Amino acid sequence: MCPMADPLVTVAELLAPAFAAVGGSGAEPVVRPSDRADAQANGALAIAKRLGQNPREVAETVLAAARPALLGVCSSVDIAGPGFLNLTFTNEFLAGQLTVAAADEHLGVRPARRVEHVVIDYSHPNVAKEMHVGHLRTTVIGDSLVRMLEFLGHRVTKENHIGDWGTPFGMLIEHMLDLGETTAASELSVGDLAGFYQGARAKFDADDVFKDRARQRVVELQRGDPETLRLWRILVAESTRYFNEVYHKLGVLLTDDDLAPESMYNPMLPVVVERLREAGLVQESDGAQVVFPPGYTNRDGEPLPLIVQNSVGGYNYATTDLACVVDRVERLNVDRMVYVVGAPQAQHLAMVFAVAEMAGWLAPPREAVHVAFGNVLGADRKMLKSRSGESLKLGELLDEAVERAGAAIAEKNPDLSGPERAAVARAIGIGAVKYADLSTDRIKDYVFDWDRMLAFDGNTAPYLQYAHARLCSIFRRAGIDRRGIAAGGSPFVVCEVQERNLALRLLAFDTAVWDTVDRYSPHRLCTYLFDLAQDFTAFYEYCPVLKADDDATRQSRLALCGITVRVLEKGLDLLGIIAPERM
RNA sequence: GCCUCUGUAGCUCAGCUGGAUAGAGCAUCGGACUUCUAAUCCGACGGUCGCAGGUUCGAAUCCUGCCGGGGGCGCCA
């Protein structure tokens, strides 16, 4: 078993036998952070309630049993209020825990007990359609979850389920023919997907001849006509190239290897329906082939179906989503499927999962999770739009972020120049956009505000990056490699209150990461990192490092800075944010 | 109509699987730079946690009802 760095986890472990002895097998210490001490254990109250005893007396009994285990760990343990155990750690214990964390490649974060194969479904842009701010959330949240799950040791499969199939492709292909293949391709590759799509749409709506051609083309596409497929592949290839440009700007992990296009599932669609039919789940309703998962009703209170084949024999996204489930279970053998998809799809996904369960494709411990998220709003609290009222192109938004960050740097630090300034502008601009998205609870809508996200104070990426840059500066001036600092010995001396607060925060990284992953809520890690940056700057203000009074203090503070910079860097990396060395 | 998410300081948000006196940041006001990056720090001000009940030793947190806002509810994805 690997040693645990987090004092709350460690002390919970130390207290567990005493609580179990007094309260029975279900009794837990319930250790939480506290304002009045370093931690409080609330478990005695639950035991008292269950046993009908006085909670303070229960706390006394538990404490008496636990005392030996806490020797050297806690400098004081008090019973307070109705029966809390207030725990204060010894500085020596904290120093020892810091040594454990510093020696750990994972900075004290416990690896997953059981390694799972997790598939994450995110980003999913549509071919020949613009990527907009709606794609920002799924892409950034998904990317962050991939990084965290991998950090915990899971095997992660990224799936970018791009929309490359469906009736719109008839008009898109015909539009491409009208423009000429090379013109069309160049229009798409420079990223004018909105113009291309709207051009096709306008003709489709206005021109009946064009409409007929488009419909005929859909038939050819579905029939597998080679020439039509060739044209279709041009659309897909040019769009994919454009998506990759946006992904590159964003700095996310997605590559072509992660593409799981809708069309990939086409051959499976009839099979899915057939298998549902064999399982006796399919009914005909108004001419369509449907499954009725229990518990869903429409607005008239009648059972609500999941339509898997429409009345003219076509398949839809429910069929495709079911095919995905089958593919992931039977081909990839995944343990967990994570869908980073907007909140409006909640009912659809719930029904798909329900049908998959009915068919026996999805059964515990295998699980499917909908990681839902809200909208990005403008200052008017409506869906974010460009000035002209069009939907905002993601690529342009990212360019603007880098531009704004560049302007800020030019003003604040004129010494940075050339390529370094450009790189820093990118790290700050993109980091700011990502952090603004990740730092609020994903289920809620948030207001997109340039000034707030790019501010260098407050809960923003630049504030965290600035703390990181100051740390790097210390090591640069000391002429020490910050990565090699903590190796060997136990240099930590926890003394000043700022050192103590920083130490406690650093040691809570484990809990912060696990809380974040357990709830698929990156904003929890953001909150932690902001707290860490604040604790560090307080330390930085009051505790000289390079000019410390004596060498032991200097060594200890350098080592403390060494873990801080690693946690900050790793934490930001888990959010997909780059921390520049200077800014 | 039913389902679902949501309502916390002037503003933007944490806290929600029950714990002690509800926390940050911004803004406002007052302090701190010949100092490891002041892009910072310290302090003050600021809240009947939408409303009303209930559960209990204890509720922002759980339950019920109501009010306000968003979303979803049969052949698009």
Side-chain angles (χ1 to χ4, degrees):
Chain A
M1 186 178 117
C2 64
M4 289 163 300
D6 193 327
L8 268 61
V9 177
T10 305
V11 84
E13 204 91 338
L14 292 173
L15 288 170
F19 275 86
V22 176
S25 60
E28 287 174 14
V30 193
V31 176
R32 297 284 143 82
S34 174
D35 303 335
R36 322 197 164 198
D38 293 332
Q40 60 183 55
N42 303 337
L45 292 146
I47 294 174
K49 183 180 265 184
R50 198 152 48 82
L51 270 48
Q53 294 177 1
N54 181 316
R56 284 193 72 109
E57 284 170 17
V58 172
E60 297 271 6
T61 315
V62 171
L63 179 53
R67 274 227 191 264
L70 298 176
L71 204 68
V73 172
C74 292
S75 57
S76 74
V77 185
D78 303 314
I79 297 169
F84 303 119
L85 290 183
N86 282 353
L87 310 165
T88 304
F89 302 123
T90 66
N91 290 342
E92 294 70 28
F93 171 63
L94 293 179
Q97 297 300 95
L98 284 171
T99 307
V100 170
D104 181 10
E105 190 189 348
H106 286 76
L107 296 156
V109 177
R110 292 160 296 166
R113 286 223 179 97
R114 188 172 78 93
V115 174
E116 291 182 46
H117 184 189
V118 185
V119 60
I120 305 195
D121 182 325
Y122 65 111
S123 196
H124 37 249
N126 289 312
V127 164
K129 276 182 105 170
E130 201 62 58
M131 286 186 83
H132 52 81
V133 285
H135 295 105
L136 179 68
R137 299 214 78 181
T138 169
T139 305
V140 166
I141 293 168
D143 184 65
S144 171
L145 294 177
V146 169
R147 292 166 189 266
M148 288 189 232
L149 287 162
E150 284 182 343
F151 184 55
L152 295 182
H154 292 300
R155 181 178 158 213
V156 180
T157 298
K158 310 186 284 288
E159 281 195 359
N160 188 5
H161 195 167
I162 62 170
D164 68 340
W165 202 254
T167 48
F169 283 88
M171 74 178 189
L172 291 168
I173 289 170
E174 289 302 323
H175 184 52
M176 179 165 69
L177 287 172
D178 286 358
L179 288 177
E181 282 178 39
T182 45
T183 311
S186 63
E187 192 170 315
L188 289 170
S189 63
V190 297
D192 190 14
L193 278 68
F196 186 87
Y197 192 92
Q198 280 159 16
R201 184 87 236 172
K203 271 195 282 182
F204 187 84
D205 290 339
D207 181 348
D208 283 344
V209 177
F210 182 83
K211 192 180 278 187
D212 283 342
R213 278 167 54 200
R215 285 187 174 146
Q216 186 54 40
R217 189 57 79 175
V218 174
V219 175
E220 292 300 312
L221 182 64
Q222 285 169 345
R223 221 177 44 134
D225 168 57
E227 173 63 7
T228 303
L229 283 177
R230 186 185 69 79
L231 295 165
W232 169 73
R233 284 194 196 99
I234 293 172
L235 285 176
V236 174
E238 293 302 330
S239 297
T240 305
R241 188 189 308 199
Y242 175 65
F243 300 154
N244 285 337
E245 261 177 50
V246 175
Y247 293 147
H248 180 72
K249 280 180 192 171
L250 252 186
V252 293
L253 300 169
L254 285 169
T255 69
D256 285 352
D257 293 340
D258 307 313
L259 289 174
E262 270 180 33
S263 59
M264 190 175 100
Y265 301 93
N266 283 348
M268 299 177 63
L269 302 181
V271 181
V272 163
V273 174
E274 191 48 40
R275 286 176 64 174
L276 289 169
R277 201 189 309 280
E278 282 167 10
L281 299 173
V282 177
Q283 299 179 35
E284 183 169 328
S285 175
D286 296 339
Q289 305 300 306
V290 309
V291 180
F292 288 104
Y296 295 91
T297 54
N298 66 15
R299 59 181 91 233
D300 299 321
E302 293 156 358
L304 184 66
L306 188 71
I307 296 170
V308 294
Q309 193 171 14
N310 67 25
S311 50
V312 295
Y315 304 105
N316 60 17
Y317 74 133
T319 330
T320 309
D321 283 342
L322 286 167
C324 279
V325 172
V326 171
D327 182 60
R328 288 164 185 171
V329 169
E330 297 183 358
R331 182 175 65 86
L332 297 173
N333 190 26
V334 302
D335 300 297
R336 214 186 321 175
M337 303 168 226
V338 177
Y339 291 74
V340 188
V341 175
Q345 307 267 6
Q347 183 177 264
H348 164 72
L349 282 173
M351 290 176 77
V352 167
F353 298 160
V355 170
E357 280 170 31
M358 292 164 79
W361 298 326
L362 190 57
R366 209 187 301 272
E367 60 172 345
V369 186
H370 178 201
V371 175
F373 56 86
N375 296 315
V376 184
L377 306 179
D380 57 359
R381 291 224 150 244
K382 297 194 171 150
M383 296 274 276
L384 187 63
K385 297 273 159 90
S386 70
R387 290 166 206 83
S388 55
E390 314 254 303
S391 77
L392 211 51
K393 295 184 183 181
L394 184 50
E396 291 179 3
L397 179 126
L398 297 175
D399 291 341
E400 183 170 353
V402 174
E403 205 175 297
R404 284 174 180 263
I409 295 164
E411 187 188 326
K412 310 254 174 164
N413 190 354
D415 293 345
L416 282 182
S417 61
E420 185 177 10
R421 182 152 105 190
V424 170
R426 183 165 173 271
I428 293 177
I430 300 298
V433 170
K434 284 185 172 180
Y435 193 85
D437 199 291
L438 293 169
S439 61
T440 54
D441 191 357
R442 61 178 162 76
I443 198 65
K444 297 181 182 173
D445 298 344
Y446 77 93
V447 177
F448 192 94
D449 182 335
W450 284 120
D451 291 336
R452 205 166 59 242
M453 73 177 74
L454 280 162
F456 291 88
D457 38 23
N459 187 10
T460 65
Y463 178 80
L464 302 187
Q465 289 167 321
Y466 180 58
H468 176 268
R470 287 171 123 186
L471 278 158
C472 290
S473 172
I474 291 174
F475 287 101
R476 197 163 46 240
R477 282 179 177 269
I480 298 171
D481 178 6
R482 65 178 192 273
R483 286 163 218 282
I485 183 68
S490 174
F492 296 102
V493 182
V494 177
C495 184
E496 299 294 330
V497 63
Q498 288 85 3
E499 293 175 306
R500 209 167 182 287
N501 289 341
L502 180 57
L504 282 165
R505 189 73 67 187
L506 287 166
L507 295 171
F509 188 44
D510 176 37
T511 301
V513 172
W514 273 99
D515 275 358
T516 301
V517 172
D518 282 345
R519 302 173 202 216
Y520 305 96
S521 292
H523 81 281
R524 290 185 168 255
L525 183 58
C526 294
T527 301
Y528 168 80
L529 292 174
F530 178 53
D531 290 340
L532 173 63
Q534 288 196 119
D535 287 333
F536 165 71
T537 35
F539 161 84
Y540 181 90
E541 293 285 332
Y542 287 96
C543 303
V545 178
L546 301 178
K547 293 171 188 167
D549 291 337
D550 57 87
D551 193 54
T553 306
R554 182 185 142 104
Q555 288 308 318
S556 168
R557 288 181 181 168
L558 266 174
L560 208 46
C561 288
I563 311 190
T564 307
V565 76
R566 285 166 67 199
V567 171
L568 210 43
E569 201 166 359
K570 187 62 196 175
L572 285 168
D573 177 65
L574 292 176
L575 299 172
I577 295 172
I578 292 168
E581 306 231 347
R582 301 201 294 172
M583 60 186 278

